[in-house]
Amino acid sequence: MSFSANIKNEICHIENISPCCYHAQVYGLVLFAHFSNLNFSLKTENENVFDFYCDVLTNYLKCNIETNITGSRKKIAYVSDAESRNKAFEKFGHTGNESAIRINYANLENECCISSYLRGVFLSCGSVSNPDKSYHLEFVVPFKKLSQDLIKILNEIDLNPKYVMRKGNHIVYFKDSENIEDFLAHIGAQNAALYLMNVKIEKDIKNNVNRKFNYE
């Protein structure tokens, strides 16, 4: 199982979330999948994320959903009928007819909601490489304005992401290990943050030994 999959499995099962933070987490998850009149869906290989998405659509947003499996074995959950989509749009204060999809900050009721919101965003469109190999965390965002809003929120909590276009998607990413570590801790992925910290320590020790050996 990949490092990203382990993180998503960990944060899918965080308990005792306040109602306002749960709402924010669901909002981040749904908004950063595909959230429009044309495409209201999530595609993922992660069963925990898929189950969580289906659960919140069915039980929290009261949507009728359909599911499918692609040839690549990715699971898709989607809302096909307009009435169900309108329920979700109304729940989050959207019309579904906006010219550009933006964050509705009314869904981030309190300061404590930011971490839960970002947790949902990561579940929806985030991934992180195994720190044993490289330091890289990214979000693949479907809409430009939405990626700009994400960058703004990350900057507000003293993280400094970078941005690039890739294959028509808007990529918000980190390559700095400290930013990645702080982000993981922020969304409640404590085990992953500690693992990254230990990897950094081990790498520093090895580098120091190698430098000393080369010097001698």
Side-chain angles (χ1 to χ4, degrees):
M1 188 176 294
S2 71
F3 189 62
S4 280
N6 285 330
I7 293 171
K8 291 184 178 183
N9 292 342
E10 178 183 355
I11 62 178
C12 269
H13 296 99
I14 292 177
E15 298 179 344
N16 301 320
I17 302 175
S18 66
C20 65
C21 289
Y22 181 78
H23 178 85
Q25 179 172 326
V26 171
Y27 183 55
L29 172 69
V30 173
L31 184 66
F32 278 78
H34 288 279
F35 185 75
S36 72
N37 266 331
L38 298 176
N39 189 354
F40 196 124
S41 66
L42 175 77
K43 181 188 294 185
T44 181
E45 295 178 346
N46 189 295
E47 290 189 10
N48 284 297
V49 174
F50 178 80
D51 290 343
F52 182 54
Y53 184 77
C54 291
D55 179 67
V56 299
L57 286 183
T58 303
N59 298 313
Y60 187 69
L61 301 178
K62 308 302 181 184
C63 293
N64 296 318
I65 66 170
E66 298 181 48
T67 61
N68 199 358
I69 299 177
T70 69
S72 61
R73 307 303 297 174
K74 286 188 177 181
K75 293 185 175 183
I76 304 173
Y78 58 96
V79 180
S80 58
D81 67 283
E83 183 179 352
S84 287
R85 287 196 297 270
N86 288 336
K87 286 181 183 178
F89 294 140
E90 183 177 353
K91 184 80 170 180
F92 296 128
H94 289 266
T95 66
N97 298 311
E98 291 91 347
S99 58
I101 301 297
R102 306 294 299 266
I103 294 174
N104 180 0
Y105 288 91
N107 293 290
L108 310 182
E109 186 177 346
N110 300 303
E111 187 175 345
C112 62
C113 297
I114 298 296
S115 294
S116 294
Y117 172 75
L118 291 173
R119 186 185 308 128
V121 175
F122 183 80
L123 288 172
S124 182
C125 67
S127 65
V128 57
S129 63
N130 189 325
D132 291 321
K133 299 178 180 178
S134 64
Y135 301 128
H136 185 89
L137 186 152
E138 71 177 30
F139 305 90
V140 182
V141 185
F143 306 111
K144 183 175 182 178
K145 295 292 186 181
L146 199 55
S147 70
Q148 293 172 341
D149 287 348
L150 176 59
I151 290 170
K152 180 180 177 181
I153 285 181
L154 291 169
N155 282 332
E156 286 175 355
I157 58 174
D158 296 324
L159 299 176
N160 299 294
K162 297 182 179 180
Y163 168 86
V164 70
M165 278 282 293
R166 185 199 303 149
K167 297 180 179 179
N169 289 308
H170 306 276
I171 312 300
V172 178
Y173 69 98
F174 301 108
K175 282 188 173 295
D176 180 86
S177 61
E178 290 187 4
N179 280 335
I180 296 173
E181 185 181 319
D182 288 345
F183 177 83
L184 293 176
H186 208 80
I187 65 172
Q190 305 298 341
N191 292 334
L194 288 172
Y195 181 81
L196 174 56
M197 187 186 303
N198 289 332
V199 169
K200 287 170 55 181
I201 292 171
E202 289 179 5
K203 286 184 177 180
D204 287 342
I205 292 172
K206 288 179 181 178
N207 289 336
N208 287 334
V209 169
N210 287 336
R211 279 195 295 268
K212 185 177 180 180
F213 178 80
N214 292 334
Y215 174 77
E216 291 176 352

